[in-house]
């Protein structure tokens, strides 16, 4: 019995992407079909290299193709191409997704999560940039172990710093490289607007799948400038589980929603603590941020325990080491990264192209 390309495509129409709830043919994920005497090879292009459901999709494709009469051996090649919801005519045409990481208040681990999201995405094979938008308290230079020195210029453009191994390199830029951290940064709205615009327009970000932006805590000028200057893919909210922190986190969520920025998900940081004997202590009331996400109808990306090694590796500027261990935090970080990548893909496939928000910030 001769197997035709049409038979294969028909069968692949029964395979649904488990996150996007559409079949992989409609989603344009089937890139190539080769048939040779009943042996079939298909290339499926995932929407992110950090797809947590890779093997599930592979299994479903094999199962569907085995149903087709005449099909013998099946090979599935999985590749990945990150998609974007923007029309690429914005000020950062090479950057496919911009993800703002915000929090209701300081000290909840927003920068820690931002750095680890960037590292985790890079380790999954994505091209990643990290912009320290926390102009009032830039901690990215410390957390990435970069020396404070003025960035180089290439023509008119500022060259970002780079961290990580060559195949997973992350481009990094922070106001902390330009203004010493100890100097109190008393910025007024228009100055903040200027510096953020400059970081978007004048830094040579090149081609990136994800640009992670660490925002200042609370609700303020940087978020407004970002939403106004560029189509943000969405925001991640970091919160600790206690009620006083959640009140501020809710406010941050509402601010993004008012700016027309979708919430890609909530991360519960310092969720619990595991002592040396393995007992878990819910110091701040584990589950608070998860409940907040659920009542506000937001995706929950995962929880991260209080882990001394996370703090030590932040202080020593070695975030890649968080992923090199085999502990519980490493698994949680990977799953948060994959959940975020999944939410970004969902957003890109289900929403129309975003436009920068028109908001007057002349105050
Ligand atoms: P924010 O950006 O919200 O102000 P940071 O990311 O700077 O917060 O984190 C504040 C402090 O808490 C840092 O010293 C950081 O290393 C530490 N920290 C953050 N998350 C964790 C965690 N899950 N376990 C242990 N220490 C953490």
């Amino acid at each position: 019995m001769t197997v035709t390309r049409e038979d294969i495509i028909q069968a692949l129409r029964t395979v649904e992407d488990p996150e996007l709830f559409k079949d992989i043919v409609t989603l344009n994920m089937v890139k190539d079909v080769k048939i040779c005497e009943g042996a079939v090879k298909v290339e499926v292009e995932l929407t992110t290299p950090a797809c947590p459901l890779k093997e599930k999709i592979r299994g479903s494709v094999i199962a569907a193709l085995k149903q087709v009469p005449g099909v013998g051996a099946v090979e599935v090649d999985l590749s990945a191409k990150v998609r974007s919801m923007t029309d690429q005519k914005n000020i950062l045409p090479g950057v496919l997704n911009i993800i703002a990481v915000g929090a209701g208040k300081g000290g909840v681990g927003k920068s820690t999560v931002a750095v680890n999201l960037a590292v985790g995405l890079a380790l999954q094979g994505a091209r990643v940039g990290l912009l320290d938008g926390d102009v009032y308290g830039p901690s990215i230079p410390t957390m990435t172990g970069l020396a404070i020195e003025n960035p180089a210029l290439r023509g008119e453009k500022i060259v970002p710093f780079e961290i990580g191994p060559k195949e997973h390199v992350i481009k990094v830029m922070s106001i902390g490289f330009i203004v010493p951290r100890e100097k109190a940064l008393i910025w007024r709205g228009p100055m903040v607007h200027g510096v953020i615009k400059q970081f978007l327009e004048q830094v040579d970000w090149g081609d990136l799948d994800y640009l992670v932006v660490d925002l200042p805590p609370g609700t303020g000028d940087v978020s407004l400038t970002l939403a106004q200057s560029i189509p943000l893919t969405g925001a991640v909210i970091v919160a600790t589980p206690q009620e006083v922190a959640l009140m501020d986190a809710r406010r941050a969520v509402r601010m993004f929603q008012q700016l027309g920025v979708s919430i890609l998900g909530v991360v519960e940081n310092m969720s619990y603590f595991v002592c040396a004997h393995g007992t878990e202590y819910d110091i701040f009331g584990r589950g608070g941020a998860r409940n907040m996400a659920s009542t506000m109808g937001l995706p929950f990306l995962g929880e991260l325990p209080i882990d001394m090694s996370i703090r030590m590796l932040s202080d020593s500027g070695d975030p890649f080491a968080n992923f090199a261990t085999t502990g519980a935090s490493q698994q949680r970080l990977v799953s948060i990264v994959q959940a975020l990548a999944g939410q970004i893909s969902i957003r890109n496939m289900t929403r129309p192209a975003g436009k920068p928000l028109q908001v007057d910030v002349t105050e």
Side-chain angles (χ1 to χ4, degrees):
M1 183 158 203
T2 316
V3 182
T4 66
R5 190 186 146 80
E6 200 38 48
D7 297 333
I8 299 301
I9 296 291
Q10 244 0 79
L12 292 175
R13 281 190 196 282
T14 65
V15 179
E16 244 191 24
D17 182 293
E19 281 185 317
L20 303 173
F21 302 113
K22 282 189 187 151
D23 76 83
I24 59 171
V25 178
T26 305
L27 288 169
N28 201 19
M29 287 163 67
V30 179
K31 291 296 155 190
D32 195 26
V33 174
K34 285 198 177 78
I35 307 163
C36 180
E37 293 174 3
V40 180
K41 184 174 174 184
V42 291
E43 187 191 328
V44 178
E45 188 181 80
L46 304 170
T47 52
T48 170
C51 178
L53 303 160
K54 272 181 210 169
E55 293 314 314
K56 188 161 187 218
I57 294 174
R58 188 196 301 277
S60 307
V61 168
I62 293 172
L65 295 184
K66 290 277 187 191
Q67 299 287 316
V68 180
V71 168
V74 175
E75 195 183 328
V76 184
D77 239 1
L78 295 179
S79 60
K81 183 162 176 236
V82 175
R83 303 197 184 183
S84 173
M85 58 154 198
T86 68
D87 55 10
Q88 306 298 294
K89 288 204 188 83
N90 62 67
I91 53 173
L92 282 178
V95 179
L96 298 178
N97 291 286
I98 303 176
I99 302 121
V101 181
K105 57 162 70 202
V108 299
K110 168 189 53 61
S111 301
T112 306
V113 170
V115 169
N116 283 289
L117 286 175
V119 171
L121 287 166
L123 285 173
Q124 299 270 338
R127 301 165 301 169
V128 179
L130 176 62
L131 169 58
D132 190 355
D134 192 347
V135 291
Y136 307 103
S139 45
I140 298 297
T142 306
M143 289 187 177
T144 52
L146 283 161
I148 304 290
E149 53 182 320
N150 280 332
L153 290 177
R154 193 182 296 130
E156 302 265 281
K157 293 270 190 180
I158 303 170
V159 183
F161 293 93
E162 294 190 346
I163 57 162
K166 209 159 86 206
E167 61 283 16
H168 300 298
V169 94
I170 299 176
K171 295 181 179 171
V172 184
M173 186 45 66
S174 168
I175 190 75
F177 297 125
I178 296 158
V179 182
R181 198 190 156 138
E182 314 77 62
K183 275 200 177 171
L185 292 177
I186 307 164
W187 299 81
R188 285 169 45 90
M191 289 164 74
V192 170
H193 186 71
V195 108
I196 292 296
K197 287 271 281 185
Q198 199 177 6
F199 274 158
L200 293 174
E201 289 170 8
Q202 287 176 20
V203 172
D204 189 6
W205 292 109
D207 293 331
L208 297 179
D209 294 318
Y210 305 105
L211 176 62
V212 177
V213 186
D214 180 23
L215 294 178
T219 51
D221 294 310
V222 176
S223 313
L224 191 59
T225 297
L226 271 181
Q228 190 192 27
S229 316
I230 199 118
L232 286 174
T233 309
V236 171
I237 302 293
V238 180
T240 50
Q242 69 274 44
E243 186 48 40
V244 282
L246 294 174
M247 275 173 356
D248 293 324
R250 283 188 203 98
R251 205 169 298 133
V253 167
R254 287 196 203 99
M255 173 202 66
F256 282 114
Q257 290 172 333
Q258 275 166 20
L259 292 174
V261 176
S262 31
I263 305 295
L264 294 164
V266 175
V267 174
E268 180 168 301
N269 190 29
M270 308 192 194
S271 191
Y272 58 97
F273 170 74
V274 190
C275 79
H277 307 292
T279 311
E280 295 187 0
Y281 293 92
D282 296 350
I283 294 177
F284 296 134
R286 185 173 181 174
R290 183 193 289 270
N291 289 342
M292 179 196 87
S294 149
T295 50
M296 296 186 92
L298 307 171
F300 183 67
L301 302 178
E303 50 185 35
L304 206 53
I306 298 173
D307 181 340
M308 217 160 76
S309 80
I310 291 184
R311 200 268 309 147
M312 288 187 328
L313 293 170
S314 286
D315 282 351
S316 63
D318 189 10
F320 278 84
N322 281 322
F323 291 82
T325 60
T326 49
S329 297
Q330 181 262 1
Q331 283 167 24
R332 295 213 173 256
L333 280 170
V334 170
S335 113
I336 290 169
V337 165
Q338 292 183 332
L340 171 64
Q343 287 301 322
I344 294 169
S345 295
I346 292 170
R347 161 116 183 93
N348 287 336
M349 302 300 280
T350 52
R351 291 289 185 91
K355 290 251 183 318
L357 185 78
Q358 295 306 313
V359 185
D360 192 359
V361 276
T362 43
E363 170 268 328

